[in-house]
Each structure stands twice: as structure tokens, then as C-alpha cells.
């Protein structure tokens, strides 16, 4: 069973920021939080990961709550190419991919 | 892009026949994984390998076997395919442990298997 909870779907307008939430209340001190996304007809691709501190890379930012029981993936300016299923993964030696959040980006 | 290929990319077979899917990597990563993806289920781990000849079961391993005789290849075998094994199969690799290891996982392009 997935150890994370995400909304089933979200919508955003193009060029606006998107905040994708994830709850992982069973996280332990050594568990990383990973985000992947899956574009239509492709395999998942890595987006970002973090342990305790907020993280930034060229694709996104990851904001981790102080108690680490939740996190938010931030896409600073959504594009049509960002429409995908976003998976938040945590809390186990092997990855468990839940249903994720399906992000729709409206032009 | 990580060097991961899967073969075949598409296969149609009949119930009861054996099927082998191949995952090949050029990254020299230690860990390799097989997942299946079905509508409404996300990705589910079938088996994984943490080194040559070292494998373990995942969440949905019944009806599947794997082998890893060299670092670069990880084979998934359906000994006697059933219609419930119709799915898209993804291979993945990672340099080290996931979860507590903080390692990234890289995925192949997938194999679409249809069992009639």
C-alpha cells in the first residue's frame, strides 16, 4: 500500500504556479521524499527528492514541512508539457507508486 | 537519458505460453526493478534485484520469475501467461537503495504485453 496521500487530480492554467501536495505521516527520520512524474505513454521520470530541507532544481522546488509529514511540489510556471501524473513517494525501502495526482494544464 | 532499453516493446501472446521480457542497462547500476502498470493501480513492483544473482519479490510477484546473470541484464519471465498479466511492464534501475538511500530511479520506455 502507498504510504502517501495525494489528491486525485488538479488543474492549473498555463504559466501559473502549481502546488501539488502530499501527505506522508508515517515518515521516519531516514526516509527521503521523492517526486516522479509520468507523461502520457512514457515511463515515470525523476523530478526531485529531499530529506529535510527544501530543494530546488531546474524542474521544480520541493517544500518539506517542518515535521516532515507533508511536502509540496512546486512548479513555478506550468506549461502544457507539465501535464502528467505526479507521484509522491516515501517511506519504504522500495518505491510504492500510488495513483498519484493527475495534473491538467489549461492553455 | 539513462541508458535503459526494454525488449520487446510490444508483444501479443496467447494464454499458457511462456514470455520473457528483457531489460538492458548501460549505466552499471546495482539495482534493477520490474513494475507493471494497470489502469487504476499505478505502478506495482513485481521483483527487484540488488546485484548479480540477488533478487527479491515485490508486491505482485505471483506468476513471475526473474533472473540476473550479469549486471546489465534483468529478465522477467511469465512461465505460463494469463490474461490477467496483460499490462504495461516497466523496468527501472538505481545506483543504490531507494527510500533511505535517497537514490533516483530511472525507468525504461515500457513493454506493452497483451495476453489473449
Amino acid at each position: 500500500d502507498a504510504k502517501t496521500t495525494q489528491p486525485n487530480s488538479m488543474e492549473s492554467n498555463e504559466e501559473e504556479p502549481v502546488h501539488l501536495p502530499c501527505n506522508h505521516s508515517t515518515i521516519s527520520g531516514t526516509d527521503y521524499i521523492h517526486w516522479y512524474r509520468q507523461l502520457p505513454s512514457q515511463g515515470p521520470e525523476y523530478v526531485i527528492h529531499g530529506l529535510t530541507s527544501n530543494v530546488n532544481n531546474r524542474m521544480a522546488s520541493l517544500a518539506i514541512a517542518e515535521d516532515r509529514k507533508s511536502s509540496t511540489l512546486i512548479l513555478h510556471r506550468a506549461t502544457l508539457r507539465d501535464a502528467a501524473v505526479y507521484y509522491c513517494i516515501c517511506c519504504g525501502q522500495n518505491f510504492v507508486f500510488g495513483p498519484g495526482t493527475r495534473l491538467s494544464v489549461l492553455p | 537519458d539513462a541508458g535503459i532499453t526494454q525488449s520487446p516493446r510490444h508483444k501479443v501472446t496467447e494464454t499458457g505460453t511462456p514470455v520473457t521480457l528483457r531489460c538492458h542497462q548501460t549505466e552499471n547500476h546495482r539495482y534493477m526493478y520490474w513494475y507493471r502498470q494497470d489502469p487504476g493501480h499505478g505502478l506495482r513492483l513485481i521483483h527487484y534485484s540488488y546485484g548479480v544473482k540477488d533478487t527479491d519479490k515485490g508486491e505482485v510477484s505471483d506468476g513471475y520469475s526473474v533472473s540476473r546473470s550479469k549486471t546489465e541484464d534483468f529478465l522477467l519471465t511469465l512461465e505460463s501467461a494469463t490474461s490477467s498479466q496483460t499490462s504495461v511492464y516497466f523496468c527501472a534501475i538505481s545506483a543504490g537503495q531507494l527510500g533511505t538511500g535517497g537514490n533516483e530511479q530511472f525507468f525504461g520506455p515500457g513493454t506493452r504485453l497483451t495476453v489473449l
Side-chain angles (χ1 to χ4, degrees):
Chain A
D1 291 332
K3 298 182 180 180
T4 61
T5 305
Q6 299 178 252
N8 289 334
S9 62
M10 291 184 65
E11 249 182 29
S12 173
N13 294 316
E14 198 176 7
E15 298 190 5
E16 289 187 357
V18 182
H19 291 234
L20 298 164
C22 180
N23 289 317
H24 27 78
S25 58
T26 62
I27 194 169
S28 72
T30 56
D31 286 329
Y32 281 79
I33 303 153
H34 294 252
W35 283 82
Y36 285 72
R37 72 179 186 181
Q38 188 172 20
L39 303 172
S41 301
Q42 295 187 26
E45 65 174 348
Y46 168 82
V47 177
I48 200 166
H49 75 279
L51 184 61
T52 55
S53 304
N54 295 345
V55 183
N56 300 297
N57 67 19
R58 64 175 179 81
M59 287 181 71
S61 296
L62 176 60
I64 302 172
E66 197 167 331
D67 64 4
R68 301 186 67 237
K69 294 186 177 182
S70 66
S71 62
T72 302
L73 179 71
I74 303 166
L75 307 179
H76 295 286
R77 289 180 70 232
T79 70
L80 297 178
R81 276 207 70 248
D82 292 322
V85 178
Y86 287 78
Y87 299 99
C88 168
I89 302 163
C90 167
C91 317
Q93 180 164 330
N94 290 313
F95 279 0
V96 176
F97 285 76
T101 296
R102 183 173 297 277
L103 175 67
S104 301
V105 180
L106 307 177
Chain B
D1 290 343
I4 310 170
T5 56
Q6 292 184 231
S7 58
R9 293 292 313 279
H10 301 271
K11 185 169 181 70
V12 179
T13 191
E14 294 191 348
T15 297
T17 59
V19 176
T20 295
L21 307 182
R22 180 182 184 235
C23 177
H24 179 78
Q25 60 146 329
T26 57
E27 306 296 320
N28 201 35
H29 281 359
R30 180 182 174 190
Y31 290 77
M32 298 185 75
Y33 312 81
W34 277 108
Y35 291 87
R36 61 177 288 174
Q37 185 170 36
D38 306 291
H41 286 279
L43 280 92
R44 294 182 290 175
L45 182 66
I46 305 171
H47 282 279
Y48 68 99
S49 168
Y50 47 97
V52 173
K53 297 189 177 159
D54 291 323
T55 65
D56 205 349
K57 296 180 180 180
E59 178 188 3
V60 290
S61 59
D62 287 348
Y64 301 94
S65 63
V66 290
S67 66
R68 191 163 176 208
S69 59
K70 45 187 179 177
T71 299
E72 57 265 36
D73 289 327
F74 192 33
L75 304 180
L76 177 71
T77 298
L78 292 64
E79 302 288 349
S80 178
T82 68
S83 59
S84 65
Q85 293 175 313
T86 292
S87 188
V88 180
Y89 291 85
F90 288 101
C91 174
I93 64 173
S94 67
Q97 260 190 11
L98 307 175
T100 57
N103 288 281
E104 300 169 38
Q105 202 173 34
F106 300 96
F107 284 81
T111 293
R112 184 172 295 275
L113 176 67
T114 302
V115 184
L116 302 175

